Structure formats: C-alpha cells, structure tokens
Amino acid sequence: MGSGLWLFQEQRYRDAFTWQGVPTWDAPSLTSFHRVMRNDGYLLGWSDVRAGALWVSYRVAAVKDAAIGSRPGFSADWRTLWPIGTDSYSGSGYDRGHLAPNYAIAAVHGRQAQVDTFLMSNMLPQTPELNRQLWQRLEEAVMDHFAPRFEHLQVITGPVYAEGFTNTMQRVGFVEVPKAFYKIIVAPHPETPLALAFIMPQDVQGNEPLDKYLVTIDEIEVRTGLNFFPDLTPAVEQMLEGRVNTHGWALEDVAHKPGRFQ
C-alpha cells in the first residue's frame, strides 16, 4: 500500500509539471544520465557528473496583479551528491542563475514553490549579461506576453554543455559551467500544440533581439542528448520539434522589447 501510494503521488507530480512525458535521454551516457528531483512547483533532472541540473520542467498560466513575497535566501540542497553552498559562486564572475524562475513559479504556484526556486540545485553559473538582461527578458516575455495568449504553458529549460567531456574541468567549485542555456515553451493544445525554442550562449551582450536565438527542439536534443516530450506521436513530434514556427506567438511584439528592470 505504501509503495502504491508513493507511485500515485509521484505520477501526480509528474502530470502536474510535465507534458507528454518527463525528459529522458536518447542514448545512455554519463553526461546525459540524471535523476528526477521533485520540488514544489517544478521537477528537476539532476546530473551528479555535471553537478548541475540538465533540465527543469514547470507549468505557468496567466496571472493578474500577482503579488509575490520577498525574495527568499539561497539555500543548499541536501539531495545533491556534491556540497554546493550558497557562496559557491563567490568571486567567480558568474551569477547564480535560476532555471525555474522566481517570479513565474511564485506567481503561479505560491510561496513554498518560490522558496524551492532558491535551492542551489536550481542554480547554474550564468554571465551577468545573460542572467540580468537577455535571459531575464525571455522570462518576462513568457509571463507578460505568451502566457496571456494561451490557457497555460509548459516550459522546460536547462544548460547546453560542450560536447562530451571537453569542458568538464571548467567549473565553479563543483559545478560545471554551461556554454549556453535553452528554453522550450509549449502551448499544449491537444490537437495542434505550438512551441518556441531558444538557445542563448553565455557570451551575449544582453540587448540582442530574442528571435536571434530561435532554434528547433530537435537542435536542443542533439546538443544536450536529451529527449523531450517522449510520449508524442511521431507525426506530432515531427511537426512540433523539427521546425521553427513562430505563428500564433506574436514574437515580434517582444523580440526587441527591453526588460522591465533595464
């Protein structure tokens, strides 16, 4: 009975924070293997080799006048194999970059979920120009522009590392530094889902248009070794993942728009 209840609860969490299956890997390898960690508001695929998350998955919806609490303090996550402290990035030149974002998770899923976004397992090293400018603008576009256009959105985001083990020694403490970051945004209509996907490198200036970094989901899969939405039928997978299609998103309205904090 106990194990049955656990499996039921686990499936309920996965259904709440994912769409068409939890991300997995195309071919088993040390760099793509991960374990799923459950948090309030999001799921996270943790790599003990990279000492960082390979993906986070969460859902958002349009909110009106969301008043979220003050920013919580950062905290270590006891579930990580390596000791990654709140000061692990000190003096590195990198920001503690959120994967599951503070504002969106807090506005949609509540205070405890917001607290969970400040776990160090949800952080990866990001340059200030990316974290505070370009990446911030994309996160704002998701909540301010895309979410109001659709009933709800599925978002998966994570790092892009150099191929194989060629970059594994570039680390902040135990944490490997990604070369870039991806974000996949899906409006999961049952018959005709829509998707946008981005890869943003670490060396951006910060003021670039968002649409400069549009890619296919297939490209993200090739560069990460992950398989997103594994439960899709082949026909829908080809349509959704194999091409860049901005129809319906009105991306041009926000591609050049500066962030609200700039």
Side-chain angles (χ1 to χ4, degrees), residues 32-49:
S32 63
F33 176 78
H34 59 268
R35 49 192 173 96
V36 178
M37 302 202 302
R38 189 178 73 187
N39 301 285
D40 275 350
Y42 67 99
L43 294 180
L44 179 148
W46 178 261
S47 167
D48 291 310
V49 174

Side-chain angles (χ1 to χ4, degrees), residues 5-251:
L5 177 61
W6 184 88
L7 289 172
F8 170 78
Q9 291 175 335
E10 187 73 9
Q11 188 60 51
R12 186 177 63 180
Y13 268 86
R14 293 185 180 217
D15 290 344
F17 303 135
T18 64
W19 174 77
Q20 295 295 330
V22 175
T24 182
W25 46 85
D26 287 323
S29 71
L30 284 176
T31 55
S32 63
F33 176 78
H34 59 268
R35 49 192 173 96
V36 178
M37 302 202 302
R38 189 178 73 187
N39 301 285
D40 275 350
Y42 67 99
L43 294 180
L44 179 148
W46 178 261
S47 167
D48 291 310
V49 174
R50 306 288 194 185
L54 299 186
W55 56 266
V56 300
S57 178
Y58 57 94
R59 290 188 176 184
V60 297
V63 294
K64 293 184 178 180
D65 302 321
I68 68 172
S70 59
R71 285 172 65 93
F74 292 91
S75 59
D77 190 336
W78 62 269
R79 298 170 297 178
T80 63
L81 179 63
W82 306 104
I84 303 168
T86 58
D87 60 349
S88 293
Y89 292 19
S90 296
S92 69
Y94 290 98
D95 286 354
R96 293 172 291 194
H98 281 71
L99 295 177
N102 165 40
Y103 173 77
I105 297 296
V108 176
H109 299 285
R111 177 62 178 179
Q112 184 52 55
Q114 180 185 21
V115 171
D116 279 4
T117 67
F118 281 80
L119 291 169
M120 290 302 296
S121 55
N122 186 45
M123 306 297 151
L124 281 175
Q126 285 187 328
T127 61
E129 292 77 13
L130 177 61
N131 181 48
R132 304 176 198 179
Q133 297 186 62
L134 191 64
W135 195 251
Q136 176 70 31
R137 286 166 49 212
L138 181 55
E139 291 179 341
E140 290 173 9
V142 169
M143 290 302 293
D144 296 348
H145 182 70
F146 300 138
R149 296 183 66 84
F150 304 97
E151 184 177 349
H152 61 271
L153 299 172
Q154 172 69 54
V155 184
I156 302 178
T157 193
V160 177
Y161 294 103
E163 292 185 10
F165 292 93
T166 59
N167 195 55
T168 54
M169 298 309 294
Q170 185 179 350
R171 294 180 180 258
V172 172
F174 292 102
V175 182
E176 185 174 346
V177 178
K179 304 293 287 185
F181 288 83
Y182 69 85
K183 191 178 295 290
I184 302 169
I185 309 161
V186 177
H189 301 301
E191 296 182 0
T192 55
L194 303 174
L196 288 179
F198 301 83
I199 293 179
M200 295 182 170
Q202 291 269 35
D203 60 352
V204 298
Q205 293 181 342
N207 59 355
E208 297 90 343
L210 298 179
D211 54 7
K212 177 179 180 180
Y213 301 101
L214 283 168
V215 296
T216 66
I217 297 173
D218 279 348
E219 181 175 342
I220 299 175
E221 290 182 333
V222 168
R223 294 187 62 180
T224 63
L226 297 172
N227 179 25
F228 303 104
F229 318 120
D231 296 342
L232 283 174
T233 64
V236 175
E237 179 182 5
Q238 182 178 10
M239 179 273 297
L240 192 70
E241 300 186 2
R243 59 182 180 175
V244 175
N245 182 6
T246 62
H247 178 73
W249 292 93
L251 179 60

